[in-house]
Amino acid sequence: MSSASVHVLVLPGGSYAMHAERSSEPIVEWLASAGVAASVFRYPVLTRHPAPLLAIREAIRETRSTGVETVGVMGFSAGGHAAGLAAYAPDGERDEVPDFVALAYPPVSMELGTHGASRVNLLGEDADPALRAATSLDRLVAPEAPPTFLWHTGGDTVVPVEHAYLLASALARAGVPHETHIFERGNHALSLARDAGTASAWTALCLSWLQSHGWAP
């Protein structure tokens, strides 16, 4: 497949309260420098589930309607959770599910007590256990889920690395093609992670993964 027929929607972080600039246009610029077409999609924030998911699905449909053959979604922090919902939620139509997904330090589980800001902003203070389970990515993964690239850092105290291990384990159990990288050090919200020690390798690793699937030149 020609990489010219690929487009990546970038979903920035921001705890479902805002859109972090460091994981917005800088990511698009990096992808463009690697020959991958991309754009930022600013999904709805400070609104309840499923509004962000429905908006992302519509954006995927609209991107495909322009003639793009392969649509990927790359999400950071809360944007990673939103991207994961688009990839793994069970009720999506074929034309609104991404062909691949790349997730950076996402809050995977809405059942854990950590990173409550994203959970509260998306689900509300008093979300019941059923809703929290239904929006936890590790509970949604099925064998037909799209190939996934996932990275996180062991030093993340905002979204602990436990979230990444939950998702990686679920992907492995379901037999979903995936690549996971855990870097020993690094804070939350590293974005491109330049000058962030070994975590700075994530961009090269992700590009190599994209190339291995024919999604990047």
Side-chain angles (χ1 to χ4, degrees), residues 109-111 123 128-140:
S109 175
M110 296 290 105
E111 297 178 290
L123 306 181
D128 62 41
L131 179 58
R132 291 174 67 166
T135 51
S136 292
L137 306 184
D138 54 308
R139 288 184 172 269
L140 301 177

Side-chain angles (χ1 to χ4, degrees), residues 6 16 26 29 36 77 88 116 152 181 188 217:
V6 177
Y16 283 111
E29 292 168 5
V36 180
S77 194
Y88 310 137
H152 212 118
H181 296 278
H188 188 65

Side-chain angles (χ1 to χ4, degrees), residues 29-103:
E29 292 168 5
W30 160 62
L31 288 167
S33 72
V36 180
S39 59
V40 176
F41 180 65
R42 290 179 169 83
Y43 52 93
V45 295
L46 293 177
T47 187
R48 295 290 186 256
H49 173 77
L53 171 60
L54 296 178
I56 295 164
R57 286 175 168 173
E58 178 61 25
I60 293 171
R61 284 196 301 269
E62 290 180 357
T63 303
R64 286 209 168 94
S65 73
T66 66
V68 173
E69 295 178 23
T70 302
V71 179
V73 179
M74 181 175 291
F76 296 77
S77 194
H81 179 264
L85 283 179
Y88 310 137
D91 55 347
E93 299 293 334
R94 177 65 193 93
D95 67 342
E96 61 190 19
V97 176
D99 296 290
F100 64 87
V101 63
L103 310 177

Side-chain angles (χ1 to χ4, degrees), residues 151-172:
W151 74 275
H152 212 118
T153 60
D156 192 333
T157 58
V158 176
V159 179
V161 72
E162 177 185 5
H163 287 264
Y165 288 125
L166 284 171
L167 181 55
S169 295
L171 292 165

